[in-house]
């Protein structure tokens, strides 16, 4: 798509705003290592820091609970596929409605009433799943994916012809203080899914490496 989708007779200050809006919808590059400093991430993706801090708090709380009980922690990072193209083709109001519908579908299919789906950036969502076995986490991700598919939202700019989501799932056995690299692991899993196509789910299970490291340190 090109800028011909817009009326170029609009006053010039409009275009910097359009370019900024489109830039904010581009996924964060997998090569950029995200230290989970939420105010820094918030500035990068145009998210207000207080909203980013909510994710930080949710992750830190889930990590502490899992570490205390010696159970696993799962983290889903979800992104609507081709949202940049969707924004250009359908406009901001439709893009906002699309994200709201996807978020609602995912929320309705969370495995427990205490789980929460949080917004991260223009087209991404985060779900923290403490004390959920990896098989159940994968099953939950598949259920959420199917719920989004059942929405039947069209996306003429996508090869799928419909709105789809890609998901990255990170699984670990937390011990000690919260490790901010855990969030980056889920982002890496998401980027791996996106490299393989649309509507994919990829998992990175940190538990074997964590167990080996702890045995070596013991």
């Amino acid at each position: 798509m090109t800028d011909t989708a817009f009326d170029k007779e609009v006053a010039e200050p409009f275009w910097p705003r359009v370019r900024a809006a489109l830039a904010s919808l581009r996924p964060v590059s997998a090569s950029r290592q995200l230290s989970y400093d939420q105010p820094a991430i918030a500035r990068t993706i145009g998210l207000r820091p207080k909203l980013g801090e909510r994710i930080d708090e949710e992750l830190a709380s889930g990590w502490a609970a899992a570490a205390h009980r010696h159970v696993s922690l799962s983290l889903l990072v979800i992104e609507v596929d081709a949202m940049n193209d969707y924004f250009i083709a359908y406009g901001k109001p439709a893009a906002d409605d699309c994200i709201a519908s996807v978020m609602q579908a995912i929320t309705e299919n969370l495995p427990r009433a205490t789980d929460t789906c949080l917004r991260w950036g223009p087209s991404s969502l985060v779900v923290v799943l403490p004390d959920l076995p990896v098989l159940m986490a994968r099953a939950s991700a598949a259920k959420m994916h199917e719920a989004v598919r059942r929405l039947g939202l069209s996306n003429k700019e996508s090869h799928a012809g419909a709105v789809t989501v890609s998901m990255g799932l990170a699984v670990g056995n937390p011990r000690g203080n919260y490790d901010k690299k855990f969030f980056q692991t889920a982002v890496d899993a998401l980027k791996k899914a996106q490299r393989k196509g649309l509507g994919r789910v990829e998992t990175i299970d940190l538990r074997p490496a964590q167990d080996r490291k702890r045995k070596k340190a013991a």
Side-chain angles (χ1 to χ4, degrees), residues 52-125:
E53 287 167 4
R54 172 80 187 280
I55 297 174
D56 197 23
E57 292 169 0
E58 188 83 7
L59 263 172
S61 175
W63 182 281
H68 177 72
R69 298 176 60 188
H70 284 203
V71 294
S72 63
L73 174 67
S74 295
L75 171 64
L76 271 173
V77 176
I78 305 164
E79 189 166 279
V80 179
D81 296 319
M83 183 46 97
N84 185 28
D85 295 331
Y86 188 99
F87 180 93
I88 296 173
Y90 296 94
K92 186 179 185 302
D96 290 342
D97 289 345
C98 172
I99 292 295
S101 296
V102 169
M103 189 170 183
Q104 182 65 29
I106 289 172
T107 299
E108 290 174 353
N109 286 276
L110 292 171
R112 297 163 299 203
T114 54
D115 295 326
T116 305
C117 178
L118 300 173
R119 182 82 175 266
W120 182 57
S123 59
S124 301
L125 306 166

